[in-house]
Amino acid sequence: MPPMKTVHDGIILTDKCENESSSDVIRKIKYAFGEGKSLKIGHAGTLDPFATGLLIILLGQGTKLSRYVMAGQKSYIATLELGIETDTLDPTGNIVRKSTVSHLSDQTIREKASRFEGDIRQTPPAFSAVKHKGIRSYKLARKGQEMVLKERPVTVHSLEIVSVDLPLITLQIECSSGTYIRSIAADLGRELGPGAHLKILRRIGIGSFLVQNAFPSCEITGKEIRPLLTAHTISLREAIPEIQETEIPGFLEEKVRNGYCPKWDELDLSSTDGDCHNGLLKLVSDGNLVAVLRIHQRGGNKNGDIGIERVFS
């Protein structure tokens, strides 16, 4: 009798190495687990090949967590190079303009950089995955087609100057999902005068997950690494720690897994603080994630609307 296949559900924190694509990391992990097409796998928030840092891999049922993991605040260390602008806004593109970088005081740099903190509007780079008339904009940009991409609101929670060694400026940025660090680098370069491109990018955090706890992608070299990857797999329940949870009994677990939506009086909300994160609530049974609920309204008299967002088998 052939051995039973191991089911992998959860997430793995990886530290993506330079010159690897996010898809390269996925392919290596899929090969290491040796389950071919039977293993669903994805990632939360792509990183360009030149960038390094935290890339969260979603395994099995973990692919259902994508929207929740990607919603977490992002943290980056970014180095921009003044005096050189590229068409991609990063080191992979063609140089479109060079300028002389004259002396800039730290005060001037900090003052200009502070303008990018808070709620801002940002135009995505032409070389990005944003769709323009149904087509990925980078595909149109590669063909030399001009397009006008719409500005979008993003939030930069903090932007700190780490170091200045002109023409290089290194920043630490805490921002909302959907923020383009390349655009911040290019826009700050124009504010300072000589223009700039993003030379180095490292993602150091997503939500409560930090890169120092991640498995280096360059060490994922074959099937012999499988036990280590399994040991680094974070359970479905622990993968979304920001969402509050409540325990449900076994009989209700079975009903929910079969599509039943629980009612207020079937839930014990005494362990929550009364303000579910983004209106979401995890249902847990015997330590395992059963479902994520959307709480539309709640109150002390236990009324309101409840809907099932995701069920985990």
Side-chain angles (χ1 to χ4, degrees):
M1 179 182 296
M4 293 181 65
K5 291 185 177 181
T6 302
V7 177
H8 302 281
D9 295 308
I11 67 173
I12 297 177
L13 309 183
T14 65
D15 184 354
K16 191 189 80 65
C17 300
E18 190 176 1
N19 297 324
E20 276 190 331
S21 70
S22 300
S23 297
D24 290 336
V25 179
I26 284 180
R27 279 193 291 271
K28 292 201 300 181
I29 290 178
K30 201 160 193 176
Y31 177 76
F33 280 124
E35 296 183 10
K37 295 181 179 180
S38 65
L39 176 62
K40 290 184 179 180
I41 185 168
H43 59 76
T46 191
L47 279 175
D48 292 323
F50 82 93
T52 66
L54 184 58
L55 178 69
I56 298 181
I57 302 299
L58 312 171
L59 298 175
Q61 296 279 306
T63 55
K64 296 180 180 180
L65 299 174
S66 178
R67 71 169 72 175
Y68 313 120
V69 176
M70 290 182 67
Q73 181 175 305
K74 310 297 190 301
S75 303
Y76 297 92
I77 298 292
T79 297
L80 59 93
E81 182 176 6
L82 295 173
I84 299 177
E85 295 179 289
T86 69
D87 54 3
T88 60
L89 313 185
D90 62 37
T92 67
N94 298 312
I95 295 175
V96 295
R97 187 169 79 96
K98 285 188 174 184
S99 304
T100 301
V101 180
S102 56
H103 174 71
L104 291 166
S105 69
D106 287 355
Q107 181 179 352
T108 297
I109 295 172
R110 293 180 191 282
E111 179 185 340
K112 299 287 188 182
S114 68
R115 299 178 184 179
F116 293 89
E117 286 186 310
D119 296 325
I120 64 173
R121 298 193 66 82
Q122 185 182 72
T123 302
F127 287 85
S128 67
V130 173
K131 287 188 176 181
H132 178 72
K133 296 181 179 179
I135 303 174
R136 299 290 184 188
S137 61
Y138 67 81
K139 294 182 178 181
L140 299 174
R142 286 172 181 169
K143 296 178 181 179
Q145 297 184 29
E146 293 187 5
M147 70 200 88
V148 178
L149 298 179
K150 294 181 179 179
E151 283 187 337
R152 55 177 60 185
V154 297
T155 301
V156 178
H157 301 285
S158 67
L159 190 156
E160 298 179 5
I161 307 296
V162 175
S163 65
V164 177
D165 184 15
L166 296 179
L168 303 179
I169 301 174
T170 298
L171 315 168
Q172 180 163 339
I173 301 172
E174 314 282 337
C175 58
S176 64
S177 181
T179 304
Y180 284 94
I181 307 301
R182 284 181 289 160
S183 294
I184 290 178
D187 292 343
L188 177 55
R190 282 190 285 270
E191 284 283 329
L192 292 170
H197 72 281
L198 180 62
K199 185 177 180 67
I200 302 171
L201 181 65
R202 180 163 177 77
R203 185 157 63 199
I204 59 175
I206 299 177
S208 60
F209 297 117
L210 304 176
V211 72
Q212 55 258 43
N213 300 319
F215 194 89
S217 69
C218 56
E219 295 182 12
I220 304 173
T221 55
K223 293 185 178 180
E224 66 277 3
I225 208 72
R226 175 174 176 162
L228 279 175
L229 291 178
T230 300
H232 277 79
T233 301
I234 298 170
S235 71
L236 297 174
R237 177 187 181 185
E238 296 171 323
I240 44 177
E242 292 86 0
I243 300 178
Q244 294 191 67
E245 66 179 51
T246 186
E247 187 83 16
I248 59 173
F251 75 88
L252 185 56
E253 170 194 358
E254 184 177 355
K255 291 173 67 176
V256 172
R257 291 196 192 277
N258 287 320
Y260 174 76
C261 183
K263 298 178 175 58
W264 281 113
D265 57 7
E266 294 178 294
L267 301 176
D268 177 10
L269 301 178
S270 60
S271 61
T272 67
D273 63 12
D275 183 20
C276 294
H277 177 72
N278 289 334
L280 300 175
L281 180 69
K282 291 186 293 191
L283 296 186
V284 175
S285 180
D286 195 25
N288 298 313
L289 181 62
V290 177
V292 174
L293 301 184
R294 169 69 66 177
I295 307 296
H296 298 287
Q297 180 187 352
R298 61 171 299 188
N301 58 349
K302 294 186 177 181
N303 57 26
D305 298 322
I306 301 176
I308 292 181
E309 282 230 338
R310 288 285 186 273
V311 175
F312 301 87
S313 58

